[in-house]
Amino acid sequence: MKRRWLCLMFFFCFFCDCISSKGGSPDGKQVQVKNPYLDTMEEDILYHFSLSTKTHNLPEMFGDIKFVCVGGSANRMKAFAQFMHNELELPGNPEDIRDICEGTDRYCMFKVGPVLSISHGMGVPSISIMLHELIKLLHHAQCRDVVLFRLGTSGGVGLAPGTVVVTDKAVDYSFQPQFEQVVLGKVITRSTELDEGVASELLQCSSELPNLPAVIGNTMCTHDFYEGQGRLDGALCSFSHEEKLEYLRKAYEAGVRNIEMESTVFAAMCRVCAAVICVTLLNRFDGDQITAPHDVLVEYQQRPQVLVSHFIKKRLGQIV
Ligand code: R2B
Ligand code: URA
């Protein structure tokens, strides 16, 4: 009987997104998980966060979260949390913000008011593990009306370095808006379309800020930084300079404006209310090595943070 119920739930889940919105509630849309087994578990250990439903009061700790910002580097996400602390004019010293996941060194997590800032490491497997536990965390904490952002760096395709790309569609190596996952030995495909409204709101925000060149375009997600992104400067290279340029030209024609390593799984898992915002560190038509000076790269990496901060402050009514 229980098995039949679970089968029915799975059938239902196939037609739904991973984070979905439970509409109709006057309090907003609740973050839902699409796994009926979770309800049958007495305790859920979020192992890579060093948190658990039994040892931590997740609704009390996280119930007021409205904005989740994820990015590759732990230091950058700590700096973002401190930046948001100042921007939101919260009481206390931003230097005192503590890592909620200090029991593990896999990921770092910082909470400043309604904003959660989390690192995810590099590549699809690393961000995917983090997102499973993050989505469950938001669900257990009964969070409502949450918007998720990935703030990152990328290689530009036909754009000046320093341009911020707000992702329209996250596409794979063949420029398709899909994420392929091997499950029980079979490939399953999930859609990677993102929230168009949030993307255009972000573009509008960029036009209100000085020194924030931004475009909306497709973002290609690869499983490697070197050969996987058509670089000629890795330890291995199996193609010619001409072949590299031809691939980049095809990508450009397919609407790709930047290349990074996490957007497709991020979009597939969070797409209902999510956006990807990555700054370009170089124009890949001009080369492969990242040659800009350190201070220039630091300023570029602050651009997605400044943009998302502006978005959050507008949503909170702190900027009209
Ligand atoms: C952008 O930068 C990292 C590689 O340098 C990777 O995580 C990504 O998506
Ligand atoms: N991150 C990437 O994945 N690719 C680049 O070219 C730059 C940053």
Side-chain angles (χ1 to χ4, degrees):
M1 191 60 200
K2 195 166 182 187
R3 192 174 288 176
R4 188 180 299 166
W5 180 81
L6 282 169
C7 284
L8 274 169
M9 284 297 284
F10 273 124
F11 182 73
F12 172 73
C13 291
F14 273 125
F15 296 97
C16 303
D17 305 310
C18 277
I19 279 200
S20 86
S21 324
K22 195 178 179 180
S25 155
D27 303 326
K29 297 164 184 170
Q30 198 174 327
V31 175
Q32 284 192 291
V33 287
K34 297 295 178 184
N35 176 3
Y37 283 109
L38 282 183
D39 287 341
T40 68
M41 288 161 52
E42 245 180 58
E43 178 181 11
D44 190 6
I45 299 169
L46 307 176
Y47 167 66
H48 301 87
F49 288 163
S50 197
L51 296 172
S52 148
T53 50
K54 266 206 173 151
T55 54
H56 296 79
N57 184 340
L58 300 178
E60 193 178 290
M61 289 171 75
F62 300 102
D64 62 339
I65 293 294
K66 295 291 174 213
F67 307 97
V68 177
C69 302
V70 307
S73 135
N75 283 339
R76 205 183 332 127
M77 296 323 285
K78 183 174 185 180
F80 176 67
Q82 291 173 334
F83 173 65
M84 281 312 305
H85 186 278
N86 287 330
E87 290 289 295
L88 297 179
E89 297 175 22
L90 295 173
N93 187 346
E95 295 301 317
D96 295 340
I97 295 172
R98 89 165 228 285
D99 178 8
I100 298 168
C101 298
E102 61 194 357
T104 167
D105 57 4
R106 295 296 186 188
Y107 305 108
C108 286
M109 183 188 288
F110 307 92
K111 182 176 181 301
V112 277
V115 181
L116 197 63
S117 175
I118 313 169
S119 67
H120 58 61
M122 283 193 284
V124 163
S126 182
I127 193 175
S128 159
I129 295 167
M130 193 283 284
L131 288 174
H132 275 282
E133 295 183 16
L134 170 64
I135 292 164
K136 292 196 297 171
L137 169 73
L138 298 173
H139 172 71
H140 293 313
Q142 294 157 24
C143 295
R144 290 175 180 275
D145 287 332
V146 179
V147 189
L148 293 97
F149 306 91
R150 169 170 139 67
L151 290 73
T153 58
S154 61
V157 181
L159 293 176
T163 308
V164 171
V165 179
V166 178
T167 302
D168 178 12
K169 290 187 182 71
V171 300
D172 67 8
Y173 63 92
S174 61
F175 320 133
Q176 297 306 307
Q178 62 184 28
F179 172 65
E180 289 183 347
Q181 168 92 329
V182 179
V183 177
L184 304 181
K186 296 192 185 99
V187 176
I188 64 163
T189 303
R190 291 190 169 120
S191 164
T192 58
E193 277 168 54
L194 289 153
D195 191 307
E196 272 178 37
V198 175
S200 49
E201 223 174 304
L202 283 160
L203 194 71
Q204 171 60 32
C205 287
S206 74
S207 70
E208 295 162 7
L209 291 162
N211 202 24
L212 226 143
V215 297
I216 290 189
N218 292 347
T219 296
M220 180 163 72
C221 177
T222 66
H223 292 300
D224 173 44
F225 181 83
Y226 287 98
E227 279 189 300
Q229 295 188 5
R231 279 189 155 81
L232 300 162
D233 63 342
L236 306 172
C237 187
S238 52
F239 47 86
S240 67
H241 189 232
E242 246 327 296
E243 285 170 322
K244 164 196 157 173
L245 290 180
E246 195 188 323
Y247 184 58
L248 289 182
R249 273 195 291 269
K250 280 194 183 139
Y252 188 88
E253 279 163 23
V256 171
R257 292 295 174 272
N258 66 339
I259 310 174
E260 48 77 93
M261 298 178 61
E262 294 87 13
S263 58
T264 48
V265 69
F266 176 81
M269 291 182 77
C270 320
R271 69 201 184 101
V272 170
C273 44
V276 178
I277 308 106
C278 291
V279 69
T280 62
L281 303 182
L282 75 170
N283 179 359
R284 288 298 315 288
F285 282 114
D286 295 341
D288 297 330
Q289 298 248 307
I290 297 168
T291 53
H294 178 71
D295 57 330
V296 172
L297 293 177
V298 169
E299 193 273 315
Y300 285 171
Q301 288 174 36
Q302 283 164 356
R303 293 182 181 185
Q305 303 189 2
V306 171
L307 182 56
V308 169
S309 158
H310 190 77
F311 177 100
I312 290 174
K313 287 199 294 180
K314 275 182 90 172
R315 279 272 176 117
L316 291 175
Q318 295 192 2
I319 298 175
V320 254

